[in-house]
Amino acid sequence: MTYHVVGVRFKKAGKVYYFDPGDLELAVDDDVIVETARGIEYGEVVTGSADVPEEEVVAPLKKVLRRATDEDRRHLMENRDKETRAYHIGLEKITTHGLPMKLVGVEQTFDGNKIIFYFTAEGRIDFRDLVKDLAAVFRTRIELRQIGVRDEAKMMGGLGCCGRELCCSTWLADFASVSIRMAKDQNLSLNPTKISGICGRLMCCLKYENDTYELAREEFPEVGSRVVTPEGEGKVIGINIFKKTISVELKESKAVQDYTVEEIATKGTRVENGSSSGSNDQANGGKNSRTCCGSCKD
C-alpha cells in the first residue's frame, strides 16, 4: 500500500514530515498550513507530490489544510517577535530561581497554544516553579525541553573548523552515530581538539567518507599481520589508501619499505597474537597435521 504525500519542513535543516495534500496542487517552496500532533503549524514544502510506501509514513497521516496566505505570514512574524520577548523573560526567570540551566531557544506554535523553552543542563532540573511563573506571564501552555549539546549547536549555529557553517544547522536533518574508530580508519589525528566539533562531540563529517574507507580497506592486509614481499618476510606497520601502498618492516633488515597490494602476499596470523602460522607449525614438531595413533598404514 502506498500514500500520496508531500514532504514539509518546519525549521531550517529540520526533519521532513509527510502530509496528505488532498486536492491541493503543491510544489516545492510552497508555504503551507498543516495539522500536526501539537496543533496547527506553518511549514514549507520541500519534496513535491509523490507516492511512498506505508512503512515510511507515520500514522495517522495528517492533512495539509491550505496554502499559507499573507495573513499567515504576518502571523508567523508576530510569533517570531513573541519568541524573542519570551526568551528574555525566560532568562530573567531562570536567574530569579537560581537554576543551573542554560536557555538555548524558544519556539511558539503557530496557533499560539504552546511555548517551548529549550535548555541544556548537566543533570536533571526541578523546574516546576519556573513553569508556573512562565505560565502566569504568558497565559498559555508552557513546555521546558532539555536538549543535548549537539542539538544546542544545531539551534545556535556557527562555523566549523573547515570555515563553513555547521552542517547540522544548514542541511543535516538527523545526527548519525559517530565513533573514534572512524577517525582511526581515516588515519586522522586523535587529538580531541582536531576531531571534535564546537559541540564538543566527534565531528559529524567523520561519518561522510567512512563507508568509502571501509570498502577501500578490504583490499589491504591488517596492520600487524605478516606478509611476504619481494625482499622477504615482513610485518605490516601502515597502509596508505590514497596511494594504495602498504608500509612493511622487513624481518631481517628491519628496514621499512612501501609496496603495492599486488607485490605482497599475506603470510599468516597477526603479529600481536605472538606467533605466525610458521611458528605454530614448529611448536607442533614441524607438523601441521593430525596426530596419528600408529594403527593406520599412512
Side-chain angles (χ1 to χ4, degrees):
M1 181 178 179
T2 60
Y3 289 91
H4 187 67
V5 299
V6 292
V8 176
R9 180 177 287 154
F10 302 103
K11 300 178 183 177
K12 183 180 180 181
K15 292 183 179 180
V16 177
Y17 297 90
Y18 290 134
F19 291 87
D20 179 6
D23 297 329
L24 296 174
E25 294 292 335
L26 299 173
V28 175
D29 295 333
D30 283 349
D31 294 331
V32 293
I33 304 299
V34 298
E35 178 188 0
T36 71
R38 66 179 192 179
I40 306 302
E41 289 288 358
Y42 185 108
E44 178 186 2
V45 177
V46 292
T47 61
S49 299
D51 293 325
V52 298
E54 183 178 7
E55 54 269 19
E56 295 184 16
V57 175
V58 178
L61 184 64
K62 301 289 186 177
K63 286 191 174 184
V64 176
L65 300 180
R66 65 178 186 275
R67 283 189 176 87
T69 63
D70 291 339
E71 180 61 30
D72 292 326
R73 295 183 181 91
R74 283 193 294 271
H75 184 62
L76 181 67
M77 296 307 297
E78 291 174 359
N79 282 353
R80 296 293 177 264
D81 293 337
K82 292 178 181 178
E83 289 171 355
T84 302
R85 174 175 172 267
Y87 179 84
H88 293 296
I89 294 176
L91 288 177
E92 294 175 2
K93 295 296 183 181
I94 290 172
T95 302
T96 300
H97 287 272
L99 296 175
M101 55 193 291
K102 176 184 176 183
L103 185 60
V104 177
V106 177
E107 179 184 0
Q108 178 170 298
T109 58
F110 183 75
D111 55 17
N113 288 333
K114 181 192 291 187
I115 300 178
I116 306 171
F117 292 81
Y118 297 93
F119 72 94
T120 60
E122 293 295 330
R124 295 178 62 87
I125 303 293
D126 184 0
F127 47 69
R128 287 173 293 182
D129 291 337
L130 174 61
V131 171
K132 293 177 182 177
D133 278 0
L134 293 173
V137 172
F138 297 106
R139 303 291 182 178
T140 188
R141 292 177 58 194
I142 301 294
E143 178 181 344
L144 267 71
R145 185 176 301 176
Q146 187 169 358
I147 61 175
V149 290
R150 297 176 86 184
D151 291 301
E152 178 186 6
K154 185 181 183 71
M155 293 185 68
M156 301 293 289
L159 298 178
C161 59
C162 59
R164 299 176 64 91
E165 290 187 68
L166 298 180
C167 297
C168 59
S169 65
T170 53
W171 63 270
L172 191 63
D174 295 303
F175 291 113
S177 177
V178 184
S179 68
I180 194 68
R181 176 73 182 182
M182 297 178 183
K184 292 180 180 179
D185 289 345
Q186 297 174 43
N187 293 325
L188 298 176
S189 169
L190 299 184
N191 185 337
T193 61
K194 294 185 177 181
I195 58 176
S196 299
I198 65 172
C199 61
R201 300 291 189 263
L202 292 173
M203 292 188 295
C204 295
C205 54
L206 293 175
K207 176 72 174 179
Y208 300 165
E209 297 180 356
N210 187 64
D211 292 342
T212 301
Y213 274 89
E214 288 184 349
L215 183 62
R217 289 178 71 90
E218 293 178 0
E219 304 176 18
F220 297 85
E222 293 186 26
V223 174
S225 61
R226 293 191 181 277
V227 295
V228 177
T229 74
E231 281 73 32
E233 184 180 341
K235 178 180 69 173
V236 176
I237 62 173
I239 62 175
N240 190 315
I241 291 177
F242 298 105
K243 293 183 178 180
K244 294 189 175 181
T245 58
I246 304 169
S247 297
V248 179
E249 182 185 79
L250 298 176
K251 181 178 181 180
E252 299 297 332
S253 64
K254 300 300 181 183
V256 177
Q257 299 284 348
D258 290 338
Y259 301 93
T260 63
V261 177
E262 293 77 13
E263 290 178 319
I264 67 172
T266 304
K267 174 136 181 101
T269 60
R270 292 171 58 85
V271 173
E272 286 81 357
N273 294 337
S275 62
S276 65
S277 57
S279 60
N280 288 334
D281 291 346
Q282 292 177 0
N284 293 329
K287 298 178 181 179
N288 190 20
S289 60
R290 69 180 184 272
T291 301
C292 183
C293 62
S295 62
C296 60
K297 297 181 180 180
D298 291 342

